[in-house]
Amino acid sequence: MIYSKTNFWIVVCLVLFLCGTYAFSQEPVAPSNVVAMDTPNDDASSITVKWDAIPEDSGIVRYTIMRNTNEGEFEEIADDIAPNISMYKDSEIEEGMSHAYIVRAVYIDETPEDSAQTLTLIGFLRRLLRIFGYKSEIYIHSEQTAAVKATGQWFHTGKTPLFLAMLLFSSAIVWNLYHARSGKEVFIRRIPGLEAVEEAIGRATEMGRSILYVLGLGGVDNVATIASMTILGQVARRTADYETSLRVPCNDPIVLNVVREMVKTSYLDVGRPDAYNEDDIFFLTNDQFAYAAGVDGMMIREKPAAVFLQGQFYAESLLMAETGNSIGAIQIAGTDSEHQLPFFIAACDYTLIGEELYAASAYLSREPMLLGSLKGQDWGKLLIFAAIILGVSLEFFGINWITTLLQTVS
């Protein structure tokens, strides 16, 4: 009798176990068509894994990715991939090694308690497990992918439109360089601020006063400061011809030494090395507002006839521009700092806005190489502007191939 009861309970436990196993093995589905491939158009730094997405209504909550290296042990590398995603890019591979992958689907039993399934034995078992807080995650593995080794590509095929645009842009520059060096006239649009340079220097010469050139607060690695130095070199050529005093206060020791060499070279190029005075180019201070106060003091004491404010400026811009305006000096400002442009426009006679500062060296020197390069850049800008206008116009008619092309390039 005892053996009969024991056998009965063994059979009951076995049935319950089999039913529970059946309950958790019907719905879960393994990821299918899992493929690992070398990521195209990269530098051999990643491998892409793709698979067929499992319907979200199947109960899947996330994917995890496992990887092995050179047929070693599998390890988990990603454990929280959303169920609506069917691709993973592994960017932490070992160079020169082969990698294989397994994608696991993670499920949790979420059958509603009022579902018709609760009337069955399987449903009853699920409900009983939830009562005791048991919501075990179920991992369903895909098949292992073939081993893949990442390789680098020489050319990014997705950047082909950008490559063609670069060739077109470069061709425009080369053509204009050839055109400029052939001796033909190159038309550059009129920039009043640069045309006034001769007027400002001539006025200072007639009045017997100095010219004050302020390079701003940028270092020697700042693009606006480099452009300002180039303009200063052209201004120095004219002051050497006219024997006009040129004063340049600097706030950076490296900028000071570079400027001294540039001005000295300019005086030497026009055959007036004797007119160069090193003391006119000096270090003032590297503190922002102390520098502004020092420049303002020079303006009030020396009353220069012309003031050039060219380079990188910050909050001190209005202080210097207003002081220069109060002494009646002709002021030519230029900066690529958009926050300071309104102050210069309000307080100065002429203002170079943005790229006009960079174009100034070509405009003043009339060097064929610089003019050709500048003209080629203008052609490139016109082409970009025309593409924008064309793209906007086509969008009105539902034609978006230009928009798609630009998105692909970016």
Side-chain angles (χ1 to χ4, degrees):
M1 190 69 178
I2 296 176
Y3 289 107
S4 298
K5 289 183 178 180
T6 303
N7 292 335
F8 171 76
W9 285 111
I10 290 175
V11 172
V12 170
C13 291
L14 181 60
V15 170
L16 292 175
F17 174 76
L18 293 175
C19 291
T21 304
Y22 174 79
F24 290 112
S25 62
Q26 289 299 302
E27 295 182 1
V29 179
S32 59
N33 297 326
V34 181
V35 178
M37 66 185 73
D38 176 31
T39 303
N41 297 321
D42 75 340
D43 57 350
S45 62
S46 66
I47 292 176
T48 300
V49 183
K50 294 183 179 181
W51 61 92
D52 290 343
I54 299 174
E56 294 186 39
D57 57 5
S58 65
I60 183 173
V61 292
R62 69 178 189 276
Y63 294 103
T64 65
I65 309 295
M66 300 185 69
R67 178 190 67 194
N68 75 355
T69 302
N70 284 352
E71 300 183 356
E73 295 293 328
F74 277 92
E75 60 178 357
E76 189 175 275
I77 60 173
D79 64 351
D80 195 18
I81 300 176
N84 61 337
I85 296 177
S86 59
M87 184 183 71
Y88 176 74
K89 184 176 180 181
D90 183 11
S91 301
E92 298 181 358
I93 62 174
E94 297 183 33
E95 186 176 356
M97 302 290 188
S98 298
H99 301 83
Y101 296 84
I102 291 176
V103 180
R104 301 190 302 186
V106 183
Y107 295 86
I108 294 180
D109 180 31
E110 295 291 349
T111 304
E113 293 190 8
D114 58 352
S115 171
Q117 295 184 27
T118 60
L119 300 178
T120 65
L121 178 60
I122 296 173
F124 174 77
L125 290 174
R126 288 180 171 177
R127 183 172 182 179
L128 184 63
L129 290 173
R130 282 201 301 271
I131 291 174
F132 288 99
Y134 181 75
K135 289 187 178 182
S136 177
E137 292 184 341
I138 306 170
Y139 295 90
I140 308 299
H141 295 68
S142 70
E143 295 183 358
Q144 176 181 332
T145 67
V148 178
K149 183 183 294 185
T151 57
Q153 285 74 47
W154 285 96
F155 181 74
H156 194 312
T157 56
K159 302 294 184 181
T160 301
L162 184 62
F163 176 70
L164 296 177
M166 183 194 70
L167 289 179
L168 184 61
F169 182 69
S170 301
S171 299
I173 292 179
V174 171
W175 165 254
N176 281 281
L177 286 176
Y178 172 78
H179 182 75
R181 295 188 66 177
S182 65
K184 298 178 181 179
E185 183 68 22
V186 177
F187 172 76
I188 301 293
R189 72 176 179 86
R190 179 176 174 271
I191 303 178
L194 297 177
E195 291 185 346
V197 170
E198 283 286 349
E199 175 190 348
I201 298 175
R203 177 181 177 184
T205 304
E206 291 174 358
M207 298 177 67
R209 295 183 185 176
S210 63
I211 294 174
L212 181 64
Y213 196 102
V214 181
L215 290 136
L217 300 181
V220 74
D221 58 341
N222 185 274
V223 178
T225 304
I226 295 173
S228 179
M229 290 179 182
T230 307
I231 298 173
L232 174 59
Q234 299 300 323
V235 171
R237 289 172 176 268
R238 288 161 172 77
T239 57
D241 282 336
Y242 299 153
E243 299 184 9
T244 306
S245 176
L246 176 63
R247 304 271 284 164
V248 186
C250 300
N251 82 312
D252 184 282
I254 300 178
V255 172
L256 168 67
N257 287 284
V258 174
V259 168
R260 279 182 171 174
E261 287 300 319
M262 288 189 66
V263 174
K264 184 177 180 180
T265 302
S266 297
Y267 275 67
L268 184 62
D269 288 343
V270 297
R272 294 302 309 274
D274 56 303
Y276 171 70
N277 184 6
E278 189 176 85
D279 294 334
D280 284 338
I281 305 170
F282 54 92
F283 176 77
L284 194 56
T285 178
N286 57 8
D287 183 81
Q288 178 183 8
F289 290 104
Y291 179 77
V295 171
D296 289 347
M298 290 178 58
M299 291 181 184
I300 294 173
R301 290 191 305 270
E302 301 178 10
K303 290 185 170 47
V307 175
F308 289 85
L309 302 170
Q310 306 285 332
Q312 183 75 34
F313 293 89
Y314 299 95
E316 77 289 344
S317 61
L318 184 59
L319 298 176
M320 293 188 287
E322 281 291 340
T323 304
N325 183 273
S326 67
I327 64 173
I330 180 172
Q331 295 191 106
I332 302 176
T335 184
D336 58 0
S337 303
E338 63 274 9
H339 298 296
Q340 310 309 320
L341 283 172
F343 304 128
F344 282 149
I345 293 173
C348 298
D349 299 283
Y350 303 95
T351 303
L352 304 179
I353 300 175
E355 291 189 349
E356 291 180 346
L357 177 67
Y358 309 141
S361 58
Y363 193 97
L364 294 174
S365 66
R366 293 290 168 176
E367 173 67 30
M369 290 290 289
L370 296 177
L371 286 176
S373 176
L374 182 63
K375 191 71 173 179
Q377 294 174 39
D378 287 343
W379 281 20
K381 294 171 188 174
L382 286 174
L383 182 61
I384 294 173
F385 183 73
I388 293 174
I389 297 297
L390 179 60
V392 172
S393 302
L394 292 177
E395 284 289 339
F396 282 110
F397 300 98
I399 304 173
N400 57 7
W401 65 269
I402 291 184
T403 305
T404 304
L405 176 64
L406 295 177
Q407 291 173 344
T408 303
V409 170
S410 62

